[in-house]
Amino acid sequence: MADIRNYTINFGPQHPAAHGVLRLVLELDGEVIERADPHIGLLHRGTEKLAETKTFLQCVPYMDRLDYMSMMMNEHAYVMAIERLLGIQVPERAQYIRVMFDEITRILNHLLWLGTHALDVGAMTVFLYAFREREDLIDIYEAVTGARMHAAYYRPGGVYRDLPDRMPQYTVTRGKNESDLRRMNENRQGSVLDFIEDFTRRFPGYVDDYETLLTDNRIWKQRTVGIGVLTPERAKALGMTGPMLRGSGIAWDMRKQQPYEVYDRMDFEIPVGRTGDSYDRYLVRIEEMRESNKIIKQCVDWLKANPGPVIVENHKVAPPDRESMKSNMEELIHHFKLFTEGMHVPEGECYAAVEHSKGEFGVYLVSDGANKPYRLKLRAPGFSHLAALDEMSRGHMIADVVAIIGTLDIVFGDIDR
């Protein structure tokens, strides 16, 4: 019988489960992984360096394009860093809007993770279900910001504008008749907040559907139970955060341990796993979606009862409203200066972090008093998670690498930056 030789193969970047641009060099003993070497840099766009050439406000859209599945959360950490250096207090209504959109974004991210993770290991239906709900949430993004993905909605000092009073509705097209449209527009008759409230009522039932398809599914459990196990000690040593850390049984969540905005007023739980395998991390993220839904509902209730400003009045930081800008010379000058020269942030340095859908997303910002960041360093949660891939996949089969990449919830925008 011929000797089994060790093979070295490329996994990705063309592989559909490599989530974009991951190149793994796998050393195999037969079909068992002996070593996994992740090669990154295929999506490197120099975001940190580009930020040094743009004004503080012009950098906001770059944040959306880091982890492009959790757009507004990236913006949140960045604007929080600027606000700390400026020493400004964000209006209460803007804080609630930010928390609400952070949680909407968390659900958006987890739905994509769930759909693609299931698809990677062979379950097609969940992907279609998850994208059905994503469509509603992306419609909310579009109604409020005008963009379906790259929102640029958070601004230093608040948010770009208040929530609209009308939710956009479907109109007649060739494929849709009147009765179809009536059904599709049924929950779009009120404001954006009404639509979000309707979504929070429907969503727990949808999560039950995902669980019916997967949680006790024999094949799903065979592919995830005992795969990619991380002990609590190793999870901490490898710099894990977010669901990767909580899946190993450590109840660490920035929203509870270091609350920002209005998270200290929210009633929610931190789901934690026990065994630290892929199945536990799946259960943690499913439960996180339910908890996010509860937070969104609390924000909607508060926002409906409390109108108010959504951005600071300081025109050195935030632009004046359109009406006064077009009727008042001083406001026009403020507007012109803010969008050409930009704001001047006091000299200093600051680290701001949020509980991102993937873990701790941090922004370390250094200002020299000019209108541009002197240095911007991003702490991407996925970077540490990808570094653990080698340890997690040793001794597993090639097919299990796909499940491990899925459970890591890797997006390359923020890893390569």
Side-chain angles (χ1 to χ4, degrees), residues 56 81-82 84-86 344-351 364-370 372-376:
F56 284 96
I82 295 172
R84 285 179 191 173
L85 286 175
L86 285 166
H344 286 258
V345 173
E347 203 171 321
E349 55 189 84
C350 164
Y351 177 76
Y364 175 64
L365 185 65
V366 182
S367 171
D368 58 357
K372 300 179 178 75
Y374 174 77
R375 178 78 174 93
L376 180 71

Side-chain angles (χ1 to χ4, degrees), residues 98-303:
R98 284 179 176 184
V99 166
M100 182 177 77
F101 269 102
D102 273 13
E103 298 309 316
I104 286 173
T105 308
R106 193 181 312 279
I107 293 176
L108 269 171
N109 180 88
H110 284 358
L111 285 174
L112 183 105
W113 159 81
L114 180 68
T116 51
H117 187 19
L119 193 66
D120 287 346
V121 299
M124 180 82 192
T125 316
V126 190
F127 181 79
L128 303 173
Y129 276 39
F131 269 68
R132 176 189 62 188
E133 277 68 78
R134 269 179 65 89
E135 198 57 40
D136 275 350
L137 294 174
I138 285 176
D139 281 351
I140 295 165
Y141 254 55
E142 191 174 8
V144 176
T145 70
R148 284 169 64 81
M149 272 183 71
H150 302 309
Y153 182 56
Y154 295 2
R155 300 291 161 91
V159 295
Y160 160 59
R161 63 171 190 173
D162 208 344
L163 305 171
D165 295 329
R166 250 186 100 257
M167 186 69 193
Q169 299 187 5
Y170 290 104
T171 52
V172 179
T173 58
R174 239 184 344 195
K176 304 274 189 296
N177 57 36
E178 289 291 337
S179 61
D180 282 344
L181 283 176
R182 267 198 304 277
R183 179 179 49 77
M184 290 164 74
N185 287 329
E186 197 176 359
N187 52 9
R188 292 168 180 261
Q189 301 302 319
S191 66
V192 169
L193 280 173
D194 292 331
F195 183 75
I196 297 171
E197 188 173 33
D198 177 71
F199 180 84
T200 59
R201 278 197 297 269
R202 292 182 283 130
F203 189 61
Y206 296 148
V207 181
D208 293 341
D209 291 345
Y210 313 147
E211 292 223 63
T212 304
L213 286 167
L214 289 180
T215 303
D216 290 324
N217 184 311
R218 186 163 49 92
I219 303 169
W220 177 252
K221 289 180 92 165
Q222 283 169 347
R223 293 299 303 271
T224 54
V225 173
I227 302 296
V229 177
L230 273 176
T231 63
E233 297 73 38
R234 287 309 295 156
K236 283 195 282 190
L238 289 162
M240 297 287 178
T241 50
M244 294 296 298
L245 185 62
R246 293 191 286 274
S248 294
I250 297 169
W252 174 264
D253 191 311
M254 303 281 286
R255 296 170 296 173
K256 288 277 193 192
Q257 266 77 16
Q258 298 172 17
Y260 50 96
E261 307 295 13
V262 290
Y263 275 114
D264 51 350
R265 302 181 206 171
M266 296 292 151
D267 174 31
F268 67 100
E269 303 296 325
I270 306 174
V272 290
R274 280 183 309 193
T275 57
D277 61 4
S278 296
Y279 187 69
D280 264 20
R281 289 187 283 272
Y282 153 77
L283 292 174
V284 163
R285 287 189 177 104
I286 286 283
E287 203 52 44
E288 270 189 23
M289 288 199 279
R290 295 187 192 275
E291 295 302 318
S292 291
N293 197 56
K294 276 163 54 178
I295 296 172
I296 294 166
K297 182 136 184 52
Q298 292 167 57
C299 290
V300 169
D301 293 342
W302 190 94
L303 288 164

Side-chain angles (χ1 to χ4, degrees), residues 331-344:
E331 258 77 357
L332 179 65
I333 293 166
H334 274 305
H335 185 276
F336 179 76
K337 289 283 278 180
L338 187 63
F339 286 108
T340 52
E341 187 183 331
M343 67 187 83
H344 286 258

